[in-house]
Amino acid sequence: ERLIRTIKEEEVYLSEYETYNDALQQIGHFLDDVYMRKRIHSSLGYPTPVEFETQWQREQKAAINVH
C-alpha cells in the first residue's frame, strides 16, 4: 500500500501520459531508476534498495567464504 501511494504521489499525479503504454513505460522507469536506485528507504535502514541488496550479497558471499 505504501508503494502504491509513493507511485501515485511521486509519479502519476505529476505526469501526463499520452497512452497506456506511455504510462507503463514511465512508471517502470520511475520504479527502476528512482524508487530502486535513488530513493532511500527507512525500512531498510536508509540505503536504496539496490544498495541494500548489494550489501546483502556481499555479506552472503563473505559468510560462504568463512565456511
Side-chain angles (χ1 to χ4, degrees):
E1 292 176 10
R2 176 70 179 122
L3 171 60
I4 298 302
R5 187 173 105 192
T6 299
I7 294 168
K8 287 178 180 179
E9 290 176 350
E10 296 182 20
E11 170 58 29
V12 174
Y13 297 156
L14 302 176
S15 300
E16 293 186 23
Y17 306 111
E18 304 245 344
T19 64
Y20 178 78
N21 285 334
D22 183 36
L24 285 178
Q25 184 177 24
Q26 286 189 49
I27 292 169
H29 169 76
F30 172 81
L31 288 171
D32 291 341
D33 293 337
V34 177
Y35 192 82
M36 296 297 289
R37 299 180 187 282
K38 295 178 183 170
R39 194 171 187 281
I40 61 172
H41 294 255
S42 61
S43 63
L44 301 176
Y46 296 98
T48 67
V50 169
E51 292 168 340
F52 182 84
E53 182 176 6
T54 301
Q55 180 61 35
W56 181 83
Q57 288 175 348
R58 278 191 216 125
E59 291 169 1
Q60 295 304 305
K61 288 178 184 177
I64 291 170
N65 291 334
V66 169
H67 292 76

